[in-house]
Amino acid sequence: MILVVPKDEARLAAAEHLGQPVTVSVKGHYERNVPGRNVIGRLDRGKARTIVVSTPVSSWFTSTCERGPGIVAFLATARVASQSLTDVNFVFVSTSGHEVGHGGMEYFIRDKAPKPNGVTA
């Protein structure tokens, strides 16, 4: 399967109609130390145990097929946690950079995560 921009659709359709092979060339580059963002929500009830719920934040609402089910589960869990499961704290974290080494999660674990001894992930 190939996904193309609308301007290339006619060319691809013509090649398919004629049975011609198609070659795809991706010209891109990898960058380091680019800006990203994490979104962190905490439901701190002062309990000893914390549940961490995570999902990637990149492309949340533009890559529905890839992100949709995870977003639904993430938001539904937040909704349920806000009204029940009162014996634990919750941290909801959506991180960027999972495609390139999980940079956002690494940052969260290093600087923003609760201490591991009381966490369920």
Side-chain angles (χ1 to χ4, degrees):
M1 176 179 274
I2 183 170
L3 180 65
V4 297
V5 295
K7 71 177 183 69
D8 292 331
E9 184 178 359
R11 185 181 332 182
L12 188 62
E16 179 183 24
H17 179 73
L18 296 172
Q20 295 177 334
V22 174
T23 301
V24 177
S25 177
V26 177
K27 296 178 182 175
H29 62 281
Y30 183 81
E31 294 184 29
R32 294 187 180 275
N33 300 317
V34 296
R37 70 174 187 271
N38 287 348
V39 177
I40 302 170
R42 298 178 188 273
L43 183 55
D44 189 352
R45 295 180 168 130
K47 304 298 180 178
R49 230 171 28 121
T50 300
I51 295 175
V52 176
V53 182
S54 71
T55 187
V57 73
S58 53
S59 195
W60 253 27
F61 297 103
T62 55
S63 299
T64 307
C65 291
E66 182 181 358
R67 293 281 172 262
I71 297 163
V72 169
F74 186 79
L75 297 175
T77 303
R79 200 170 294 117
V80 169
S82 71
Q83 299 172 3
S84 60
L85 304 170
T86 57
D87 59 336
V88 295
N89 307 309
F90 280 87
V91 176
F92 294 89
V93 58
S94 52
T95 60
S96 61
H98 69 282
E99 300 93 343
V100 289
H102 301 281
M105 184 56 77
E106 182 179 315
Y107 171 79
F108 171 73
I109 289 171
R110 185 183 64 234
D111 296 332
K112 303 291 182 184
K115 300 296 179 218
N117 60 342
V119 171
T120 302

